[in-house]
Amino acid sequence: MGGRVLSVASEAVPFIKTGGLADVVGALPAALAGAGWQMRVLLPAYRSLRPLLDSMTPVWTEGALFGGAAQVFHGQVQGIDLLLLDAPHLYDREGGPYTGPSGDWWDNAQRFAALSWVAARMAREGVGGWKPDILHAHDWQAGFAPAYLRYHGAGGVKSVLTIHNIAFQGWADARLMSDLRLPLDQFHPGGLEYYGNLSSLKAGLVTADKITTVSPTYAEELMRPEFGMGLQGVMAARKADVLGILNGVDTTIWDPAAEPTPYSGRALAGKATARAALCARFGVDVPGPLAIVVSRLTDQKGIDLLPATIPDFVAAGGGLVILGSGDPALEHAMRDLAQAHPGRVALHVGYDETLSHQLFAGGDAVLVPSRFEPCGLTQMYGLRYGTLPVVSATGGLADTVIGASPATLASGAATGIVFHPTDALALGQALRKLVALYADRKLWGQMQKTAMTHPVGWDASAAAYAALYQGLSQ
Ligand code: ADP
Ligand code: GLC
């Protein structure tokens, strides 16, 4: 049992992160190691990662990779068996992985086709005697990798494509077909064509041996137009090969017993201290539930619903601390919200891991009012920290939180508040429910205890990935 996996992605913790994709790609190797699967991770050597190359060994060269020469370096770095693709003409730039000073990099199609090309070649040929059984590609950035295996030879390697978010599809101009080394005869709706153009995600979806996404509910939602975002037909056609496997979280990093004021489900005193510290830091004083938001500020996350619902919540005794960054209009709206409720609503614009831990430790509830959510990690941090999730009934949120109802409260199963649909009316009702549940200290304490025992680690999901790999490599 077991074997080798080449995992290819554009981000992985602890090296580069813009969202949950990085958490998951960074966590999978350790999660799968226990099941006998050795995983190597291939990332682009962005400018910020180039210093790592000094301690790594060159193992691969590409003479001509979309406009320049490239090398791959290998090493064990910070616990990860890491491959870095050093292609300075594509990645040695000031800016983010996908964007520069004026928006998306103009050559993102080539940048990530290059990553996928090298992944497929190394998988097919083996690198330094190491040949994987499985190539595991993540999201649109690696979507061409299964296609290159399919069209240029797989060498016995099977491919898995994981969709972390179908909203990002890797659109490219159809005229790039031959530049991107894709066969022109595959330009048809059943193949690579996508509304007259190309989509690297679609290319992966039609060519991968198996497709996974990050929760069972999202796997079903993706077959429907409201969630499939144009790819629902492709998903439905591949239904037999689609599997929803819930993400886990790293329970050593997300551990209330390891916070500065440690606590557990049995001894919650440390959480009260953390709450007081959080309130002091943000200058808020909240008699009712202290809610938190830790999120990208985007339309997906339903952040725009807060201005319509938080004033009533504050009037009922609640408070809110927001940590996030993203859409400037939403940042602005959050600033206005905080200014309108001094002492009750506070905001930190930016990305800050340490601060996010303080919010989860000190908050009473975490709000995740997403319009769609493939999996979502923050509601799971909330469960683990007894910071009860208030979530919309979609994707992985629906799969991880047991909403409070008379029946779930009576049986002691409730771990949070689940509302539907994602609109201000339903969120407002959910916040009223939060105020009422929080006021019942006994019930609240019971919910916290139940939430904190809910398994959010990788065990079950690692076993599901291992079974998938095993099935493919037989
Ligand atoms: P998505 O990937 O769609 O943004 P997830 O919930 O899967 O959503 O993952 C988001 C990850 O990014 C979580 O680990 C979350 O804690 C983290 N995060 C988001 N915004 C911030 C922020 N402003 N500061 C610190 N961590 C953040
Ligand atoms: C995406 C999704 C998020 C998911 C993450 C990791 O960023 O938006 O729901 O948790 O990927 O799979």
Side-chain angles (χ1 to χ4, degrees), residues 19-185:
L21 167 67
D23 292 295
V24 173
V25 174
L28 277 174
L32 266 302
W37 288 88
Q38 190 201 3
M39 191 176 270
R40 267 188 195 178
V41 180
L42 173 67
L43 298 174
Y46 304 113
R47 176 168 292 179
S48 63
L49 300 188
R50 298 193 86 230
L52 296 177
L53 299 175
D54 295 342
S55 66
M56 300 172 75
T57 316
V59 289
W60 186 271
T61 44
E62 286 277 337
L65 188 65
F66 303 107
Q71 268 188 301
V72 178
F73 289 73
H74 175 240
Q76 300 290 334
V77 188
Q78 300 186 50
I80 305 260
D81 190 351
L82 184 67
L83 294 164
L84 283 180
L85 172 58
D86 185 29
H89 60 294
L90 300 173
Y91 310 126
D92 185 11
R93 302 176 183 180
E94 202 55 54
Y98 319 118
T99 53
S102 45
D104 283 355
W105 293 114
W106 62 275
D107 56 350
N108 271 347
Q110 288 87 340
R111 294 173 74 237
F112 293 103
L115 179 72
S116 304
W117 177 262
V118 172
R121 274 201 69 195
M122 292 195 307
R124 184 190 305 124
E125 295 170 30
V127 48
W130 189 91
K131 185 164 160 51
D133 307 284
I134 309 282
L135 186 154
H136 191 156
H138 296 271
D139 265 354
W140 69 268
Q141 298 90 342
F144 283 134
Y148 291 138
L149 285 183
R150 175 64 56 92
Y151 302 130
H152 294 266
V157 176
K158 294 293 194 321
S159 59
V160 175
L161 177 73
T162 295
I163 306 166
H164 294 264
N165 194 338
I166 210 160
F168 303 105
Q169 307 187 339
W171 284 65
D173 195 309
R175 283 168 299 194
L176 291 175
M177 280 286 281
S178 30
D179 283 359
L180 297 178
R181 305 172 185 174
L182 297 165
L184 292 175
D185 64 353

Side-chain angles (χ1 to χ4, degrees), residues 112-319:
F112 293 103
L115 179 72
S116 304
W117 177 262
V118 172
R121 274 201 69 195
M122 292 195 307
R124 184 190 305 124
E125 295 170 30
V127 48
W130 189 91
K131 185 164 160 51
D133 307 284
I134 309 282
L135 186 154
H136 191 156
H138 296 271
D139 265 354
W140 69 268
Q141 298 90 342
F144 283 134
Y148 291 138
L149 285 183
R150 175 64 56 92
Y151 302 130
H152 294 266
V157 176
K158 294 293 194 321
S159 59
V160 175
L161 177 73
T162 295
I163 306 166
H164 294 264
N165 194 338
I166 210 160
F168 303 105
Q169 307 187 339
W171 284 65
D173 195 309
R175 283 168 299 194
L176 291 175
M177 280 286 281
S178 30
D179 283 359
L180 297 178
R181 305 172 185 174
L182 297 165
L184 292 175
D185 64 353
Q186 289 303 317
F187 194 72
H188 57 80
L192 298 177
E193 189 268 351
Y194 188 53
Y195 294 101
N197 280 304
L198 288 170
S199 144
S200 57
L201 186 64
K202 182 187 171 183
L205 293 177
V206 296
T207 54
D209 292 303
K210 292 283 180 190
I211 297 163
T212 74
T213 187
V214 288
S215 69
T217 294
Y218 195 57
E220 282 175 20
E221 288 173 341
L222 285 179
M223 314 274 166
R224 308 207 303 263
E226 312 90 276
F227 294 99
M229 300 192 176
L231 286 165
Q232 61 276 6
V234 181
M235 293 302 296
R238 297 235 38 205
K239 195 170 181 173
D241 295 310
V242 177
L243 189 64
I245 303 177
L246 209 57
N247 290 330
V249 307
D250 187 327
T251 51
T252 59
I253 295 177
W254 293 98
D255 182 4
E259 294 295 338
T261 60
Y263 64 93
S264 70
R266 265 173 281 118
L268 280 159
K271 186 161 180 62
T273 313
R275 187 188 194 276
L278 183 62
C279 287
R281 163 158 190 168
F282 280 94
V284 294
D285 185 6
V286 183
L290 174 62
I292 61 161
V293 166
V294 177
S295 183
R296 292 187 287 121
L297 302 179
T298 67
D299 179 65
Q300 171 189 345
K301 304 291 180 179
I303 298 299
D304 54 299
L305 302 176
L306 297 178
T309 49
I310 292 303
D312 280 353
F313 178 58
V314 167

Side-chain angles (χ1 to χ4, degrees), residues 17-21 23 165 254 294-296 300-301 323-325 350-353 356 360 373 376-379 381:
K17 167 167 166 174
T18 71
L21 167 67
D23 292 295
N165 194 338
W254 293 98
V294 177
S295 183
R296 292 187 287 121
Q300 171 189 345
K301 304 291 180 179
L323 167 61
S325 61
Y351 184 91
D352 189 327
E353 295 272 344
S356 75
F360 282 100
E373 196 60 77
L377 300 176
T378 57
Q379 83 282 10
Y381 305 154

Side-chain angles (χ1 to χ4, degrees), residues 271 289-294 313 359-360 363-370 373 375-394 396-405 409 413-419 427 430-431 433-435 437-438 444 446-454 456:
K271 186 161 180 62
L290 174 62
I292 61 161
V293 166
V294 177
F313 178 58
L359 264 65
F360 282 100
D364 296 311
V366 55
L367 310 185
V368 195
S370 303
E373 196 60 77
C375 180
L377 300 176
T378 57
Q379 83 282 10
M380 293 200 264
Y381 305 154
L383 289 172
R384 185 144 167 84
Y385 277 65
T387 307
L388 301 185
V390 178
V391 304
S392 47
T394 187
L397 302 174
D399 289 335
T400 49
V401 182
I402 302 170
S405 69
L409 287 170
T415 59
I417 295 168
V418 180
F419 64 93
L427 176 58
L431 292 173
K433 203 168 183 175
L434 172 60
V435 171
L437 286 171
Y438 185 77
W444 186 261
Q446 173 57 47
M447 284 178 73
Q448 283 183 303
K449 282 197 181 70
T450 310
M452 293 177 79
T453 57
H454 186 94
V456 293

